[in-house]
Amino acid sequence: MFKDLVEYISVIGKTFVKEIRLIFSDAAVKSSYLISPIIVGFLYSYIYSNEIVTKIPIAVVDQDQSQMTHTITRMVNSSQQVKIDHSATSLLEAENLFNLGKVKGIILLPKDFTRKLQRGEVPSISVYCDASYMLYYKQFLTSVTASIGTYSAQIEVNKLMAGGTPQKQAVASRRPIDTVSVPLFNIDSGYATFVMPVVFLIAIQTLQISAMGVLGGTQRERKSYTKLYPFIKKPLGTIPVLLGRSGAYLLISMILMVIQVGLVMGLFKFPQRGNPFEVFVFLIPFLFSVTFLGIFLMNFFKKREDAIMIVTIFSIPSLFLCGVSWPTLAFPEWIKVVSYVFPTTLAVKGFLEITQSGASLIEIKELWLQMWIMCLIYFVIAALTLKRLAYVNLSK
């Protein structure tokens, strides 16, 4: 019994070393699994490092040409979000600029704007936003509504003061309830802070499975499976082989995540409020699940090239179902169930809770338990897959 136990532990270690050698001996695997995640982390973090879109080019059509419309134009132009690049003489000219892609929005100040305002009427300002790009739309509309809201408040306060109301009371009557907006966690409402932690996990999942698919496809092409893992033919032999292989991927992927969390997030000043040690402990079941899922997908990888096609199809749903592009609360119930097929679905939630919200591992223990349950399910499936692949290899 003790001899068998020692033998099983020895196989775990030998398989671990063998898997590391296989990974480092394949040029395609090295570039896709070891180098690409680091490039993705640094490159996309650099691209999004401005966090928010600023100085969006817009056009203004000022048909009134009054002091009031000039003031509004200056207020809009002084905002951080937009920059008035063109002053068009007509709406048609502004439309042409928009269609040519020179501006992303148009403000139309009508001819009778000042006259209506002086008569006590409510004039309208037309704002044409490029809603096909949500970031442009949000920034442009926020800038214009804030500027016009401030100007409207000034007019109302001036009217009250002209009627004899003290300035303090006039300001208070214009704004009887004060709203204090406090952004939580993502203080700057930055895009990079929102999306990059998710990108790190999806990149690791996708590129690791891709590398495993390339290696698995190669082994099936060369029919070298049982030669590489001869112990798998013994009773329960798949378990030490599976543990050894998964240990190799756990070590490499964890080092890559240390680089992402410790170096990339620090360099680009992404919030990291949780305990770093707990972040990496939290990721253990996720990385194991990715490995076991990758082994299961080897059922479909008969050639090296097969991995690229299947992983391409696999990565897009994992991105959309993790909740980054659309809140999971708005998902249909059956889609929520399907989303748990992907390890990133649970991992993204917990990773954001720890790194962005500063939660401890104890506070998200239920989520972590769910990840371990998923890991166990994938472990069983992966063990059956290894047994099947050995049988297929021997039968040929």
Side-chain angles (χ1 to χ4, degrees), residues 258-285:
V258 168
I259 294 172
Q260 304 287 23
V261 175
L263 188 58
V264 178
M265 292 183 72
L267 182 64
F268 291 97
K269 302 187 187 313
F270 296 147
Q272 209 299 88
R273 300 185 177 86
N275 184 325
F277 177 73
E278 291 190 350
V279 172
F280 301 124
V281 172
F282 168 81
L283 289 173
I284 291 174

Side-chain angles (χ1 to χ4, degrees), residues 292-307:
F292 299 148
L293 176 60
I295 290 174
F296 165 68
L297 290 175
M298 285 181 190
N299 283 301
F300 311 100
F301 300 149
K302 295 180 180 177
K303 298 177 181 176
R304 286 173 66 89
E305 298 78 14
D306 292 348

Side-chain angles (χ1 to χ4, degrees), residues 80-101:
Q80 185 187 17
Q81 293 96 333
V82 300
K83 180 179 67 172
I84 298 176
D85 264 8
H86 297 274
S87 293
T89 55
S90 67
L91 185 59
L92 180 62
E93 182 186 345
E95 284 181 18
N96 288 333
L97 291 169
F98 180 84
N99 291 332
L100 290 171

Side-chain angles (χ1 to χ4, degrees), residues 8-253:
Y8 273 71
I9 293 174
S10 172
V11 170
I12 292 174
K14 289 177 181 176
T15 308
F16 174 88
V17 174
K18 187 180 293 180
E19 198 70 23
I20 294 284
R21 285 176 178 166
L22 286 172
I23 292 169
F24 280 87
S25 63
D26 192 305
V29 171
K30 280 195 289 188
S31 61
S32 65
Y33 179 33
L34 305 179
I35 300 174
S36 294
I38 299 174
I39 294 175
V40 167
F42 278 98
L43 180 63
Y44 284 90
S45 298
Y46 172 71
I47 292 172
Y48 297 145
S49 58
N50 285 335
E51 293 281 9
I52 58 173
V53 181
T54 58
K55 301 301 177 188
I56 300 169
I58 63 169
V60 171
V61 183
D62 187 354
Q63 296 176 333
D64 198 50
Q65 292 294 334
S66 65
Q67 185 179 353
M68 287 186 177
T69 55
H70 290 164
T71 303
I72 292 174
T73 303
R74 283 196 299 272
M75 291 177 70
V76 172
N77 199 35
S78 64
S79 66
Q80 185 187 17
Q81 293 96 333
V82 300
K83 180 179 67 172
I84 298 176
D85 264 8
H86 297 274
S87 293
T89 55
S90 67
L91 185 59
L92 180 62
E93 182 186 345
E95 284 181 18
N96 288 333
L97 291 169
F98 180 84
N99 291 332
L100 290 171
K102 294 184 177 179
V103 297
K104 301 300 178 185
I106 302 167
I107 300 175
L108 174 62
L109 298 156
K111 189 175 183 179
D112 55 352
F113 179 83
T114 302
R115 186 163 54 85
K116 279 188 174 180
L117 204 59
Q118 290 171 340
R119 288 193 312 205
E121 299 177 18
V122 180
S124 299
I125 295 176
S126 299
V127 178
Y128 300 88
C129 308
D130 183 4
S132 64
Y133 199 123
M134 294 303 291
L135 289 177
Y136 287 153
Y137 178 80
K138 178 193 167 191
Q139 294 293 82
F140 181 34
L141 198 59
T142 301
S143 167
V144 174
T145 52
S147 299
I148 293 175
T150 303
Y151 189 72
S152 300
Q154 287 179 0
I155 292 174
E156 197 165 337
V157 169
N158 289 339
K159 282 182 181 177
L160 291 170
M161 290 174 62
T165 306
Q167 182 182 7
K168 191 174 180 180
Q169 187 178 346
V171 172
S173 63
R174 173 61 181 81
R175 193 170 56 187
I177 299 175
D178 200 7
T179 303
V180 179
S181 175
V182 183
L184 299 175
F185 309 126
N186 188 352
I187 297 173
D188 298 324
S189 301
Y191 186 74
T193 301
F194 163 69
V195 77
M196 284 312 298
V198 179
V199 170
F200 296 151
L201 295 188
I202 291 180
I204 283 289
Q205 175 179 273
T206 304
L207 296 172
Q208 182 185 323
I209 291 177
S210 173
M212 296 177 69
V214 170
L215 287 177
T218 304
Q219 291 163 11
R220 293 190 70 173
E221 280 184 289
R222 297 175 180 173
K223 299 177 183 176
S224 59
Y225 199 76
T226 49
K227 192 182 297 182
L228 285 169
Y229 312 109
F231 198 77
I232 211 167
K233 291 179 285 186
K234 293 191 175 183
L236 298 178
T238 54
I239 293 177
V241 172
L242 185 55
L243 291 177
R245 296 188 66 184
S246 58
Y249 289 105
L250 174 67
L251 175 65
I252 294 174
S253 294

